[in-house]
Amino acid sequence: MMDPFRLCVALGPLALYFLAIGLKNFSRTPRVVSGTRDTAALGFATAGLLLVGPIELLLPALPLRVTAYVWLLLLVLYVLFVSLVVLLLAPRLVVYNVSYEQIRPALAEVVNQLDAEARWAGGSVSLPRLNVEFYLDDYPFIRNVSLISTGTPQSYSGWRQLERRLREQLRTSVETVPNAWGVGALTTAVVILGRMGWLVYAHPEQITQGFVEMMRL
């Protein structure tokens, strides 16, 4: 069984991720998040699992005196890797706690405001003046809708304008209710954080020992 310290390291970021997702889906107003922030948050959520898993497996053969520096180097490399993935991904927006039927009229209003030459083709939209093209990807089970770019190149400034206007439009024109996915995510976060708090309270010596062993101090 994993020792308490490593368990906290593995599950801590994941709990915070579930907490953030739960709050977004528990709100009465749809939340618009850029693909950059959404992917970065996912990278943060998996960081703890990678630290106590494959990354720690690389350390046994290293001299004790360099272990702390190696941990720092690995963390920096992981941050750089996540940053590279974020930069290479195509632009997209994620709208939490909204249905396709709710977002379509609000999005149509925003598109008309941004570009009079905008064209619709089913669930695909082209805004030639902003150099933005995307299609709507609906996830009805979790009540999320994604705006995913199609074609290249895309204008990042155009996507930022679209994100800002869509956020303003949804805030004033669409009201939702908390969905089950948000309740489930919040419950999961509370359970994990509660478990971590109990481990820190009940096993402080094991927490300290796990930290010393992991850092090889």
Side-chain angles (χ1 to χ4, degrees):
M1 182 178 177
M2 188 180 299
D3 69 74
F5 176 74
R6 286 176 173 81
L7 191 62
C8 290
V9 171
L11 297 182
L14 195 62
L16 295 178
Y17 176 76
F18 276 118
L19 181 62
I21 293 296
L23 292 175
K24 288 183 175 68
N25 282 281
F26 207 71
S27 172
R28 290 186 174 276
T29 303
R31 298 296 183 90
V32 181
V33 179
S34 67
T36 298
R37 286 187 292 169
D38 193 61
T39 303
L42 186 60
F44 171 78
T46 58
L49 296 173
L50 292 173
L51 284 176
V52 301
I55 292 180
E56 191 175 12
L57 292 176
L58 300 175
L59 300 181
L62 296 175
L64 295 179
R65 64 180 179 275
V66 302
T67 301
Y69 299 102
V70 172
W71 272 118
L72 179 61
L73 176 61
L74 290 174
L75 287 174
V76 171
L77 289 175
Y78 180 72
V79 171
L80 292 176
F81 172 75
V82 173
S83 301
L84 178 62
V85 170
V86 167
L87 292 174
L88 293 177
L89 288 177
R92 67 186 176 95
L93 298 176
V94 182
V95 186
Y96 289 94
N97 196 25
V98 71
S99 66
Y100 183 87
E101 292 76 16
Q102 289 175 313
I103 196 176
R104 181 66 184 260
L107 181 60
E109 181 68 24
V110 170
V111 167
N112 291 334
Q113 292 174 3
L114 291 174
D115 192 343
E117 300 178 3
R119 299 185 300 272
W120 286 81
S124 300
V125 186
S126 173
L127 291 78
R129 290 186 178 179
L130 271 66
N131 196 18
V132 169
E133 296 181 12
F134 62 88
Y135 68 93
L136 295 174
D137 197 5
D138 184 24
Y139 301 91
F141 176 72
I142 56 177
R143 289 189 63 188
N144 289 355
V145 178
S146 294
L147 283 62
I148 304 176
S149 62
T150 59
T152 54
Q154 297 269 348
S155 170
Y156 287 94
S157 63
W159 275 92
R160 285 194 293 270
Q161 292 184 53
L162 176 63
E163 178 185 355
R164 184 174 62 255
R165 289 289 187 87
L166 182 59
R167 182 179 292 114
E168 294 172 355
Q169 183 67 26
L170 290 174
R171 185 184 299 119
T172 58
S173 64
V174 177
E175 183 175 351
T176 61
V177 295
N179 64 60
W181 168 237
V183 175
L186 282 176
T187 302
T188 301
V190 170
V191 169
I192 295 176
L193 291 174
R195 174 64 175 174
M196 290 172 55
W198 182 84
L199 288 174
V200 172
Y201 173 78
H203 305 284
E205 298 84 3
Q206 295 184 34
I207 294 291
T208 304
Q209 182 63 29
F211 173 77
V212 171
E213 291 177 356
M214 191 171 179
M215 299 301 297
R216 304 187 184 185
L217 299 176

